[in-house]
Amino acid sequence: MADDRRAFLVATARAAGLGAPMLALLAGTAAPARSEENDLAILSAALMLEHHAVALYGHGLQGSLFPPGLRAYATEFRGDHQGHRDTQVAILEERGAAAPASRSDYDFAGLPAGDAFIRAALEIEVAAQRAYTALISGIRTNDYLLSAAFILIDEVRHTTVWRRVLGLEIYSASGR
């Protein structure tokens, strides 16, 4: 079961554009040294997940793929992800690093409206929650550690809302 969860996380992270070193960390095949370089790599990886989430929510809102009664959640969650993205960009720039840009090749075209789209939103939230949980242990810089902890709280909240909307167990053993 843990292998299925790890494969799911790595596949979602790969779709978000994470590079090989962070994919290896998420897959459990690498352990980062706690350094400024790795803090920046972790921050960049998390930023790519935020770009992916902003794009997914934007696509869903623009295409009216969220049911009307749930658009407020989708709008709020997109705003949270935009805030996470902006915070991470600011931290990277503060450290003199270039922030990776959002990709333009996300493929959301095949996602249908309604519950299926909410499941896609849930998948990115679960991936983000797992990524922040996995990556946070490798962070050595206190300001980013604090930022990541607050972001993780939002990811758990988003996951909880979408799981509840879909009638899924809030705290399942599989996490999916």
Side-chain angles (χ1 to χ4, degrees):
M1 188 72 80
D3 288 340
D4 288 344
R5 288 193 304 259
R6 184 167 285 145
F8 163 77
L9 174 58
V10 170
T12 304
R14 185 175 288 117
L18 269 63
M22 286 301 110
L23 290 173
L25 175 63
L26 293 174
T29 59
R34 293 175 62 121
S35 67
E36 179 70 11
E37 180 181 340
N38 281 329
D39 280 3
L40 295 175
I42 289 168
L43 184 57
S44 294
L47 178 56
M48 293 304 295
L49 285 171
E50 296 299 344
H51 283 317
H52 186 112
V54 168
L56 177 73
Y57 279 99
H59 176 79
L61 288 165
Q62 184 177 13
S64 298
L65 300 176
F66 289 99
L70 301 175
R71 285 183 60 82
Y73 284 121
T75 301
E76 175 187 346
F77 296 171
R78 178 185 60 183
D80 289 344
H81 288 293
Q82 289 168 328
H84 303 161
R85 175 202 61 203
D86 295 348
T87 297
Q88 292 169 347
V89 167
I91 292 171
L92 280 165
E93 289 175 351
E94 184 178 280
R95 290 196 164 77
S102 180
R103 294 175 38 200
S104 61
D105 63 343
Y106 295 114
D107 184 14
F108 304 129
L111 296 174
D115 283 357
F117 199 82
I118 293 170
R119 285 186 188 282
L122 175 60
E123 285 182 6
I124 192 65
E125 299 296 354
V126 169
Q129 178 182 335
R130 289 181 180 160
Y132 279 102
T133 301
L135 298 175
I136 205 167
S137 66
I139 298 169
R140 87 179 162 84
T141 308
N142 286 338
D143 61 339
Y144 182 53
L145 185 60
L146 182 61
S147 173
F150 282 115
I151 290 170
L152 180 58
I153 291 167
D154 279 344
E155 304 302 351
V156 170
R157 182 173 54 88
H158 299 171
T159 299
T160 301
V161 168
W162 291 141
R163 290 183 66 76
R164 189 170 194 185
V165 162
L166 292 169
L168 302 172
E169 292 180 37
I170 302 301
Y171 303 104
S172 74
S174 71
R176 288 171 98 180

